[in-house]
Amino acid sequence: MFYGIPLTSRLLLGTAQYPSPAILGEAITASGAEVITVSLRREGAGGGAFRELLRDTGRRILPNTAGCHSVREAVTTAHMARELFATNWIKLEVIGHADTLQPDPFALVEAARILCSEGFAVFPYMTEDLILAERLVEAGCRVLMPWGAPIGSGQGLRNPEGLRSLRAHFPGIALVIDAGIGAPSQAAAAMEMGFDAVLLNTAVAKARDPVGMARAFGQAVAAGRLAHEAGLMLRRDMAVASTPVFGMAELA
Ligand SMILES: CC(=O)[C@@H](O)[C@H](O)COP(=O)(O)O
């Protein structure tokens, strides 16, 4: 549930870098994703035809401010997104570092404050820092999107302990792992840890078979969630025999 909207699928899919619009459409269908994200800059390049294609998928669109490096740029882009896609949802990215595409936490909080006060439902792309998370919640965010690893890196969950801690500290906030996921097993691991959803793009768009990979991610996210709900066993340092020994036949 994001900002009061219930969803069945816990996979959110990016729409950039696919080999063709047709493959993008098929991948969205195969993934089962109900929310797709689009960059306004990408949209600007693709124009109205791309926007039509996204609308035709019937999915809920989460516009994003990818490529923005300042509060002003991000806020202006969010305003454009609200008009173009007729939604108050915005995935807020304010990039602070060119090499790692790490978000700028200070600008992120400032932009989030402005957009929340204007009635946007803000999905901030952030690092897993606890204090940053607190500030974003104070600003009005009810969904947080901590990174798994730098965008496009495919490194998976680089700081699992930090992410676990974030999950434990914000039980009432929807937490979505966003970026850096390279394999379905990594998405499943995030879901097993209790995250509410996963957002990814590159691992599907750049797969040899994006449609097959989209299906694999959809199933992995669902399996990870099922496992979380079913309750994973505790890890132990020592072996514990899983076969009972009572009533065994005497062989001597
Ligand atoms: C599509 C989008 O919003 C990206 O900014 C997002 O963070 C995905 O990252 P990956 O491409 O690493 O999955």
Side-chain angles (χ1 to χ4, degrees), residues 41-54:
R41 299 190 160 203
R42 168 76 178 75
E43 155 63 17
F50 188 64
R51 196 160 65 237
E52 279 305 303
L53 185 145
L54 297 181

Side-chain angles (χ1 to χ4, degrees), residues 14 37 64 91 93 151-152 178-180 199-202:
T37 183
N64 69 61
K91 171 162 131 64
E93 290 188 30
I151 294 171
D178 171 15
L199 187 151
L200 56 96
N201 189 155
T202 310

